[in-house]
Amino acid sequence: MSGERVDHSFKHTIRKDTPDNEIAPMIESVSQGIVVCGHTHIQFDRTVLGKRIVNAGSVGLQSAARGACWALLGPHVELRETQYDYQNAAEQIRGCGVPMADDFADHVLNPPLEGP
């Protein structure tokens, strides 16, 4: 899969519910048929201006999903979600000494319905 990189600031985030007319100026110059984006932590697969827009979601800070979200990219796009032991993951996060470990562990146990 070959592609091009188009950078936009966080004020230009594409969400699953961003209106098509707001997305159009962000992608109108993109020549590729698939645009892969991120930041929102929520999986989606939609089409705007004839271009497929995919967000793989998030493995570690997922929103609107219970498992680790990811995408398999190839001739087709497959949005996937992998279940794991949330309780064990939260315990390990709390015990690792990283900043904001409790917040991170709580997020794993109770993923929000909306992304950042």
Side-chain angles (χ1 to χ4, degrees), residues 52-70:
R52 191 171 189 179
I53 302 174
V54 177
N55 186 320
S58 176
V59 170
L61 283 174
Q62 63 275 16
S63 297
R66 193 68 183 135
C69 297
W70 55 286

Side-chain angles (χ1 to χ4, degrees), residues 62-111:
Q62 63 275 16
S63 297
R66 193 68 183 135
C69 297
W70 55 286
L72 182 61
L73 304 175
H76 305 284
V77 175
E78 295 178 43
L79 297 180
R80 304 254 179 118
E81 184 177 337
T82 302
Q83 301 301 309
Y84 61 93
D85 184 342
Y86 316 110
Q87 292 293 334
N88 184 33
E91 288 173 23
Q92 289 185 31
I93 292 166
R94 286 193 172 106
C96 74
V98 298
M100 301 181 65
D102 286 334
D103 291 337
F104 184 19
D106 288 342
H107 186 108
V108 168
L109 293 172
N110 304 293

Side-chain angles (χ1 to χ4, degrees), residues 12-62:
H12 293 112
T13 300
I14 299 174
R15 299 180 181 280
K16 68 178 184 176
D17 59 353
T18 301
D20 289 4
N21 66 331
E22 289 181 25
I23 297 172
M26 293 184 233
I27 65 169
E28 61 190 358
S29 66
V30 175
S31 62
Q32 300 297 317
I34 297 178
V35 175
V36 179
C37 59
H39 181 65
T40 67
H41 299 252
I42 297 177
Q43 286 184 320
F44 63 80
D45 185 354
R46 59 185 284 197
T47 302
V48 177
L49 292 181
K51 295 175 177 68
R52 191 171 189 179
I53 302 174
V54 177
N55 186 320
S58 176
V59 170
L61 283 174
Q62 63 275 16

